Amino acid sequence: MQSFKILSPFFNKHRRFASFTRSLCSLNSSSHYDNLILIEEKGSSRTVILNRPHVLNALTTPMGIFLHKLYKSWERDPTVDLVVIKGNGRAFCSGGDVVQLYQLINEGRVEECKECFRTFYSFMYLLGTYLKPHVAILDGITMGGGAGISVHGSYRVATDKTVFGVPEVLIGFHPDAGASYYLSRLPGYLGEYLALTGDTLTGEEMFACGLATHYSLSTKLPVIETQLSTSARKDFSVVETFLARYSHPRSPNSSSVLHRMEMLNKCFGHGTVEEIIAALEVEAARSKDKWFISTMKKLRAAPPLSLKVSLRSIREGRFQTLEQCLAREYQMTLQAITRQISNDFSEVRNKT
């Protein structure tokens, strides 16, 4: 097992990471986990189905523990060549179960809240270093932690039903789950824009900017999944070739933010939130363009501290590894859930 070196000091304050990992590997499958996560076995492929459709497949700690256990066991199992993950219903995954997290915080059960983040950040690191081909089928809503359990894997298939976003700043939080790693590597300053506004991308846009590796119509997925499971191979190049054969990307429509990259970079390339807002104000006054006006309004409506923290996080992530980004995000998350600096995370939720 690869060591999670940078995160270990933070985990050790509460629980030794080594023993935490051993406990994950020794857990037995139970009906409780199976109800939340379904498993399909076909030949040498394994398909994970997130199964909380009534809450858009929002993630809970037991789900994270079970995912970690499954993925570690499959990584060691020579009979497993390929892992696929998808969601049941109209969402792939809407992220962490924020309602449960708020309840834990408000009830003073902060250690349980910390365990939830430790669990999923550990899983995301495992996914980012996974030794076998991993295909995430993002056929629907994919937000926050949902991006974290997919984007870090080797392949991501977006569809015409995909809605991607990182809306954490809107609830007084920061884009986490490794978001500071993958957002900072998007073209230009698109990552900063997505992090600060909480704006969404379509499947076509995900593919165009590199967040998705492949694109398909939702109606084609049953064929892709069937063929993928019956021809599973450990060879990444074989999986890549197979997915490319079924990938039929479309160009983003004319209203896509990707067609505004020059102006987006001009505004979001500034060093501070205040300078970004000022640049948007200048362009809005000059052009009367509704995009500048709506973008400016989004930033003004968000908690100021969350904007500043999120901007700095993306900027630092540009020069860090996934491991370093997750470690730093974990520190930031601890400050948010323990209210060391601000109550925004709990207060924004209470107002909604």
Side-chain angles (χ1 to χ4, degrees), residues 93-95 141-148 151-152 163-171 173-184 186 190-201 206 211 307 310 314 329:
C93 176
S94 61
I141 296 168
T142 304
M143 304 232 170
V151 171
H152 300 302
V163 180
F164 172 91
V166 280
E168 287 85 353
V169 72
L170 305 180
I171 59 171
F173 202 56
H174 63 95
D176 69 327
S180 65
Y181 179 78
Y182 65 78
L183 289 179
S184 64
L186 295 182
L190 179 62
E192 282 87 339
Y193 168 79
L194 294 173
L196 299 185
T197 64
D199 200 5
T200 59
L201 297 179
M206 281 193 74
L211 279 170
L307 290 173
S310 298
I314 303 302
E329 290 173 7

Side-chain angles (χ1 to χ4, degrees), residues 172-247:
F173 202 56
H174 63 95
D176 69 327
S180 65
Y181 179 78
Y182 65 78
L183 289 179
S184 64
R185 284 155 176 79
L186 295 182
Y189 295 98
L190 179 62
E192 282 87 339
Y193 168 79
L194 294 173
L196 299 185
T197 64
D199 200 5
T200 59
L201 297 179
T202 64
E204 294 88 347
E205 290 171 321
M206 281 193 74
F207 178 79
C209 74
L211 279 170
T213 57
H214 300 83
Y215 177 88
S216 170
L217 293 176
S218 179
T219 54
K220 303 292 185 182
L221 289 179
V223 174
I224 295 175
E225 291 178 41
T226 299
Q227 293 296 319
L228 192 60
S229 64
T230 56
S231 59
R233 296 290 186 275
K234 291 180 183 177
D235 190 327
F236 283 82
S237 64
V238 172
V239 176
E240 165 66 33
T241 300
F242 170 85
L243 290 174
R245 188 187 314 148
Y246 287 92
S247 183

Side-chain angles (χ1 to χ4, degrees), residues 4-300:
F4 209 161
K5 301 182 292 297
I6 295 178
L7 267 179
S8 295
F10 308 113
F11 289 144
N12 289 343
K13 294 179 181 179
H14 312 285
R15 177 190 300 174
R16 291 193 60 80
F17 184 60
S19 62
F20 174 62
T21 305
R22 285 196 296 272
S23 69
L24 289 174
C25 296
S26 64
L27 284 171
N28 294 319
S29 175
S30 68
S31 59
H32 177 56
Y33 293 126
D34 293 341
N35 287 334
L36 302 176
I37 295 176
L38 307 178
I39 308 298
E40 290 182 352
E41 298 185 7
K42 294 181 181 178
S44 60
S45 74
R46 299 293 182 270
T47 299
V48 172
I49 306 172
L50 304 177
N51 190 39
R52 298 185 75 207
H54 59 293
V55 288
L56 304 179
N57 298 320
L59 301 168
T60 63
T61 304
M63 294 171 73
I65 292 173
F66 193 43
L67 284 171
H68 200 295
K69 176 208 169 191
L70 286 172
Y71 275 57
K72 285 302 296 181
S73 66
W74 290 337
E75 191 173 42
R76 294 190 300 265
D77 189 342
T79 67
V80 176
D81 292 340
L82 170 75
V83 178
V84 178
I85 187 169
K86 63 180 184 178
N88 184 11
R90 65 189 185 94
F92 166 70
C93 176
S94 61
D97 193 327
V98 179
V99 174
Q100 286 194 11
L101 291 173
Y102 281 127
Q103 289 175 344
L104 291 175
I105 293 172
N106 292 331
E107 292 171 7
R109 298 157 63 187
V110 177
E111 290 303 317
E112 293 176 55
C113 194
K114 291 179 182 178
E115 181 182 14
C116 180
F117 287 102
R118 285 198 303 270
T119 299
F120 279 104
Y121 288 11
S122 300
F123 175 70
M124 289 155 194
Y125 177 74
L126 171 63
L127 182 59
T129 58
Y130 210 57
L131 300 179
K132 294 182 178 180
H134 181 271
V135 179
I137 299 176
L138 311 179
D139 190 36
I141 296 168
T142 304
M143 304 232 170
I149 64 169
S150 58
V151 171
H152 300 302
S154 46
Y155 304 108
R156 292 86 60 192
V157 180
T159 76
D160 50 310
K161 293 185 178 180
T162 303
V163 180
F164 172 91
V166 280
E168 287 85 353
V169 72
L170 305 180
I171 59 171
F173 202 56
H174 63 95
D176 69 327
S180 65
Y181 179 78
Y182 65 78
L183 289 179
S184 64
R185 284 155 176 79
L186 295 182
Y189 295 98
L190 179 62
E192 282 87 339
Y193 168 79
L194 294 173
L196 299 185
T197 64
D199 200 5
T200 59
L201 297 179
T202 64
E204 294 88 347
E205 290 171 321
M206 281 193 74
F207 178 79
C209 74
L211 279 170
T213 57
H214 300 83
Y215 177 88
S216 170
L217 293 176
S218 179
T219 54
K220 303 292 185 182
L221 289 179
V223 174
I224 295 175
E225 291 178 41
T226 299
Q227 293 296 319
L228 192 60
S229 64
T230 56
S231 59
R233 296 290 186 275
K234 291 180 183 177
D235 190 327
F236 283 82
S237 64
V238 172
V239 176
E240 165 66 33
T241 300
F242 170 85
L243 290 174
R245 188 187 314 148
Y246 287 92
S247 183
H248 302 286
R250 296 178 172 183
S251 299
N253 63 40
S254 58
S255 64
S256 171
V257 68
L258 299 184
H259 296 304
R260 295 179 175 271
M261 286 301 297
E262 182 178 352
M263 294 310 302
L264 184 153
N265 289 338
K266 182 178 179 181
C267 294
F268 283 83
H270 288 285
T272 67
V273 172
E274 291 83 359
E275 289 172 328
I276 291 173
I277 294 176
L280 289 167
E281 289 176 341
V282 169
E283 294 300 329
R286 181 186 64 81
S287 66
K288 308 299 181 185
D289 190 312
K290 292 181 179 179
W291 181 81
F292 289 109
I293 297 170
S294 64
T295 301
M296 185 172 57
K297 287 181 177 179
K298 289 175 184 177
L299 267 63
R300 284 176 170 171

